[in-house]
Amino acid sequence: MKTVLVFRTSVLGKGHIRTLRPLLNQLIDRNGYWNFDLEDCDNILRVETQNVQAHTISTLLKKNGFSCEELH
């Protein structure tokens, strides 16, 4: 069963997404999906996955210099 995870981030543009793309692609399973909504005031990251936990995603972004907080 897929889980949808939603995060508030400090990702601001396409350059930031290009930096994160290979890391997120490697992390998210083949049946998963991720995208950023940079038009939202919280620069939302949505992730659909079966196997990845929220803390793993937030840790990945934080290690790369971005804030990332799961929204419930």
Side-chain angles (χ1 to χ4, degrees), residues 6-9 58 62 67-72:
V6 181
F7 302 88
R8 173 185 302 134
T9 74
S58 61
K62 288 175 184 177
S67 65
C68 183
E69 176 187 348
E70 184 180 14
L71 300 176
H72 298 276

Side-chain angles (χ1 to χ4, degrees), residues 1-7 24-36 44-54 57 70:
M1 183 168 100
K2 282 190 182 180
T3 301
V4 177
L5 305 170
V6 181
F7 302 88
L24 288 168
N25 284 345
Q26 184 177 4
L27 182 64
I28 305 304
D29 53 39
R30 295 182 141 221
N31 295 323
Y33 175 78
W34 62 267
N35 74 314
F36 283 95
I44 296 295
L45 167 61
R46 286 184 186 82
V47 178
E48 292 181 24
T49 183
Q50 292 179 335
N51 302 317
V52 180
Q53 301 297 318
I57 296 166
E70 184 180 14

